[in-house]
Amino acid sequence: MTTPQWTISIDAGGTFTDAIARSSDGIVREAKVASTPHDPTQGLSNAVSALADLGVGLTDVALVCHGTTVATNATLTGNLARAALVTTAGFRDVLGYRQQNRPDIYSLTPRRPSELVSRELRCELTERLDSSGTVLTPLDAGEVDALIDQLRELDPEAIAVSFLFSYLNDAHEQEVGAALRRAFPDRPVTLSSEVAREFREYPRTATTAINAALRPLVEQYLNRAGDALRDSGIESPLLVMQSNGGSVPAARAGIEAHRLVLSGPAGGVAGLAALAESLGEPNLISLDMGGTSTDVCLLRNGTIPFTTVQDIQDHTLLAPSVDIHTIGAGGGSIARIDETGSLKVGPASAKAVPGPACYGRGGTEPTISDAHVVLGTLGSGELAGGLVIDRELAVRAVRRVADPLGMSPEEGAEAILAVGLAHMIRAVRKVSVERGLDPRDFCLVPFGGAGPLHAGLLLQHMALKSVIIPLRPGLFAADGLLVAGLKLDRSQTILQDAGPETLRSMGAWFEAAARDSAEQFESDGIPAENVTAVATIDCRYRGQGFELNIPVPDWTPETLERVPALFHAAHEERYGHSNAEEPVEIVTVRLTSNGGIERPAAGAIDVESRELPSDAVLETREVILPGTGSTPVPLIDRGRLAAGTVFQGPAILQQMDATSVILPGQVCRVASTLDIIVTQDRKEDHR
């Protein structure tokens, strides 16, 4: 008898670390443990131990994929390594004057954005290329030696090198990088030409500096994570989710640490695409609600939206990523009364420690989770990770905002939920209505530990097609980590008009980039037949300041000749006008290569309708539902719902990883995939 092989996905969030294991013979094991922010490696080890206790053979694990917030948290909090920056003479202060953007142009007391590298750690070298990459001023070997002496005195933890035109010709950067790596073999050296071969000096320099400052932290964490897995008996490769929705081996993830800033949320978006395929619903909006924040992403026609530029904590980052809108509204978001006497919810969070007051771990501030406990939608008892809900502590916390407003704890809890819900609705509108898209054409997919708690409320307050509650909502992001496979992104700024010579050079670049990616995947163990590549080109009219990204099906000469026409059409669609007589400038060419390790999607099929089984109802609980008052609501064990089951709200669905709340006038149907599709019965909607 053949021993089954296991794959494990582990997503480390702010409050919980989620893990799911799948065997080659179809067995699934799930675990949810408390996160350990002081040492994320411990949370990883605890998750693996929990899976082992459930029967997962750790010596039979073939692959581990990990989503981590280490890079995210370090960037958001500014707890980065002490990095030095080497620039072209005269450009030492690029990180200071940035792009001259002012987020609040009318403020009389504007806040100065933080700087990634302090001025005393910025060094200059006398080198210069022109805008075509031709050397004007060569490097001086003696000046490089002096730079090394200067850096020895500064003693940084990491070094970043970003020269003015190195995206066109990286000879000087490579020469300086080689010298620095010889002189400082124990410290990471990051070259801008290795992480972002694109123009615009501030974003490229900021990206290089962020990568350099993250590398010591991320590499140390991934080394410890690898050691922890080996200590548990797992000898398989470790993959790490990137911001672009694809994974990369841990060794490269540490070197390209800037690509992990959205590592955790990207797994949920990858899972969203798989869900769209399995249910035949190409238009979805995700609502990934954890303890600290909520991430929203819109999937249109089954296509994941991407952006090539991220703005994070005052800084611009050149790294392809899934296009996610994030708000500070999670289950642990703190409610407070501001100086005007108004109720505010978020963005401050109770975090994993101490967490919401109802967890009984020392928290005293009222949170969204506490509001649910007071209302009864989140009942007393034990949660995943050994957390125990205490209603008395939740009531005591909610009184801190209810009493000043002259409300009872229940009224205060309803108010907290109303404000939090307004934040969520605004976020969904941000990615739909504000982009000219009709929410009635989309299904909302709430997941994360707190997302399904608001499924019914969001459906009631927004004109959505339906709400789809995944089979494992609390583990959805973890389960999505392996769906997208490995991914490599390559780019090169060209800045030339779309003439015959430019088009030929573009084709040659695409060929070379595809070949290099295929070779990299081969070394990663991905066979050539599982590798696909997608080409896009950033174009603009000559003289414009911003570009449009144009997808192309391939890079044959015939296709590339059509690029100007494709750009005119895209410009017409986006802005309502175009000019076929205006020259089109090719700005940057991009190639995204995927190495498939995808799990086959289980397509949805029609199943015969059946009534709710009586043994699925655990009890009936008095719950205060917003807008309806105290109502007897059945508590349903979701694990006992078979495909085809149809039932009416109100209902509370209980499972290990999440709780879902369905309101009166809403109808639930269990799909063949065991996802639950919730629709609003408009005849019974008395809003």
Side-chain angles (χ1 to χ4, degrees):
M1 181 176 177
T2 304
T3 302
Q5 293 289 299
W6 294 88
T7 58
I8 294 178
S9 303
I10 303 175
D11 180 36
T15 305
F16 291 105
T17 294
D18 305 324
I20 186 164
R22 291 179 176 272
S23 75
S24 54
D25 55 1
I27 298 173
V28 178
R29 292 289 182 262
E30 311 158 359
K32 198 175 186 75
V33 301
S35 291
T36 52
H38 63 285
D39 181 8
T41 310
Q42 185 60 51
L44 184 78
S45 297
N46 293 343
V48 171
S49 296
L51 289 176
D53 292 342
L54 294 172
V56 176
L58 300 185
T59 57
D60 299 318
V61 172
L63 191 65
V64 177
C65 190
H66 183 31
T68 173
T69 57
V70 169
T72 312
N73 294 339
T75 307
L76 290 175
T77 61
N79 293 325
L80 301 165
R82 185 170 175 270
L85 173 66
V86 181
T87 67
T88 301
F91 291 86
R92 175 186 182 189
D93 292 318
V94 164
L95 291 182
Y97 56 70
R98 301 159 63 89
Q99 293 173 293
Q100 295 296 296
N101 293 341
R102 289 180 292 171
D104 190 355
I105 61 175
Y106 298 111
S107 174
L108 298 178
T109 56
R111 180 183 66 84
R112 183 176 180 83
S114 60
E115 295 184 10
L116 288 164
V117 180
S118 58
R119 198 169 192 274
E120 64 271 15
L121 286 171
R122 302 181 211 148
C123 309
E124 296 180 331
L125 275 180
T126 307
E127 68 84 39
R128 197 62 180 264
L129 311 178
D130 65 15
S131 59
S132 67
T134 302
V135 176
L136 297 178
T137 304
L139 279 171
D140 182 285
E143 193 174 356
V144 174
D145 291 339
L147 168 70
I148 291 172
D149 292 338
Q150 181 183 5
L151 289 172
R152 284 199 175 102
E153 291 184 12
L154 294 172
D155 194 28
E157 297 174 84
I159 303 170
V161 182
S162 182
F163 292 155
L164 186 58
F165 287 111
S166 58
Y167 64 90
L168 294 173
N169 180 351
D170 64 351
H172 284 178
E173 272 196 2
Q174 291 293 340
E175 185 176 342
V176 171
L180 292 175
R181 285 162 178 159
R182 287 193 299 270
F184 303 97
D186 58 337
R187 298 174 209 193
V189 175
T190 299
L191 309 183
S192 74
S193 55
E194 293 177 346
V195 297
R197 295 202 72 142
E198 299 182 32
F199 77 140
R200 296 191 174 108
E201 53 267 28
Y202 169 70
R204 180 163 48 88
T205 303
T207 301
T208 309
I210 289 173
N211 184 73
L214 283 174
R215 281 184 62 178
L217 307 174
V218 173
E219 288 180 339
Q220 181 186 43
Y221 169 70
L222 292 178
N223 287 337
R224 292 175 59 198
D227 291 341
L229 292 175
R230 283 187 290 273
D231 290 344
S232 69
I234 296 176
E235 296 291 342
S236 71
L238 172 62
L239 303 182
V240 182
M241 176 59 73
Q242 304 172 99
S243 303
N244 63 7
S247 299
V248 66
R252 290 212 306 280
I255 295 173
E256 299 179 342
H258 69 291
R259 296 183 182 273
L260 306 185
V261 170
L262 290 179
S263 171
V269 177
L272 189 71
L275 183 70
E277 182 179 354
S278 65
L279 291 177
E281 288 283 0
N283 296 333
L284 301 177
I285 301 174
S286 67
L287 187 96
D288 180 2
M289 187 174 184
T292 302
S293 63
T294 296
D295 301 308
V296 181
C297 180
L298 183 141
L299 195 75
R300 187 183 184 192
N301 297 326
T303 302
I304 297 176
F306 290 96
T307 179
T308 57
V309 180
Q310 301 175 54
D311 291 315
I312 181 165
Q313 200 70 0
D314 296 334
H315 313 303
T316 302
L317 189 61
L318 295 177
S321 66
V322 293
D323 190 3
I324 293 174
H325 177 61
T326 301
I327 59 170
S333 292
I334 294 173
R336 60 184 175 84
I337 305 295
D338 70 4
E339 57 272 13
T340 68
S342 299
L343 177 64
K344 303 291 183 183
V345 178
S349 171
K351 303 180 180 178
V353 179
C358 61
Y359 287 177
R361 298 196 299 186
T364 58
E365 301 288 345
T367 67
I368 290 177
S369 293
D370 293 310
H372 277 288
V373 173
V374 170
L375 297 177
T377 44
L378 189 60
S380 300
E382 185 172 325
L383 293 180
L387 295 176
V388 178
I389 297 295
D390 188 321
R391 187 177 186 276
E392 288 304 314
L393 292 176
V395 169
R396 191 181 307 165
V398 170
R399 282 191 182 278
R400 299 181 63 156
V401 295
D403 289 349
L405 295 173
M407 296 179 173
S408 68
E410 291 76 16
E411 291 171 330
E414 286 195 76
I416 291 171
L417 278 192
V419 175
L421 182 67
H423 291 319
M424 297 175 221
I425 292 173
R426 190 177 301 118
V428 174
R429 290 177 58 87
K430 186 82 174 177
V431 301
S432 57
V433 176
E434 294 185 19
R435 297 181 182 180
L437 302 174
D438 190 340
R440 290 175 294 186
D441 297 330
F442 292 83
C443 304
L444 185 75
V445 183
F447 56 92
L453 279 168
H454 306 90
L457 286 169
L458 287 163
L459 179 60
Q460 185 183 74
H461 286 81
M462 299 194 71
L464 296 160
K465 181 180 178 181
S466 67
V467 164
I468 301 172
I469 305 175
L471 173 61
R472 302 177 182 88
L475 298 166
F476 190 78
D479 204 18
L481 291 173
L482 283 173
V483 170
L486 276 69
K487 185 175 286 191
L488 291 172
D489 290 298
R490 301 183 187 276
S491 62
Q492 174 67 63
T493 292
I494 293 180
L495 289 175
Q496 295 178 4
D497 286 350
E501 185 176 342
T502 301
L503 298 178
R504 280 194 298 272
S505 65
M506 285 167 51
W509 183 87
F510 281 125
E511 285 290 343
R515 185 172 56 251
D516 291 346
S517 297
E519 291 174 356
Q520 181 64 70
F521 282 138
E522 184 179 5
S523 68
D524 293 334
I526 304 294
E529 59 269 21
N530 287 4
V531 176
T532 58
V534 177
T536 63
I537 303 171
D538 292 353
C539 304
R540 65 186 181 187
Y541 289 122
R542 187 192 298 164
Q544 284 186 320
F546 296 93
E547 307 82 50
L548 288 179
N549 183 254
I550 309 300
V552 292
D554 53 55
W555 47 88
T556 61
E558 295 76 18
T559 297
L560 295 180
E561 286 177 4
R562 296 177 50 234
V563 167
L566 294 173
F567 171 73
H568 295 313
H571 199 281
E572 179 76 31
E573 180 183 4
R574 174 70 65 87
Y575 300 113
H577 66 91
S578 61
N579 187 350
E581 305 303 318
E582 186 74 20
V584 174
E585 186 177 29
I586 305 298
V587 179
T588 301
V589 289
R590 305 180 185 277
L591 187 75
T592 298
S593 300
N594 294 275
I597 53 174
E598 299 181 3
R599 188 174 70 239
I605 58 174
D606 290 332
V607 291
E608 184 178 348
S609 296
R610 64 183 75 192
E611 294 182 354
L612 179 70
S614 58
D615 65 349
V617 180
L618 302 176
E619 62 174 301
T620 298
R621 178 193 301 164
E622 282 292 325
V623 174
I624 299 175
L625 296 175
T628 64
S630 182
T631 307
V633 177
L635 181 65
I636 297 173
D637 181 354
R638 181 170 178 178
R640 299 182 186 179
L641 299 182
T645 302
V646 178
F647 58 96
Q648 300 272 344
I652 294 176
L653 310 181
Q654 183 173 288
Q655 58 192 111
M656 181 274 290
D657 54 310
T659 299
S660 306
V661 178
I662 312 300
L663 300 183
Q666 295 175 349
V667 181
C668 297
R669 178 175 62 85
V670 182
S672 61
T673 56
L674 298 184
D675 304 301
I676 295 179
I677 300 173
V678 189
T679 54
Q680 186 78 40
D681 187 344
R682 299 301 174 187
K683 294 181 293 184
E684 298 185 24
D685 184 4
H686 302 297
R687 286 177 295 162

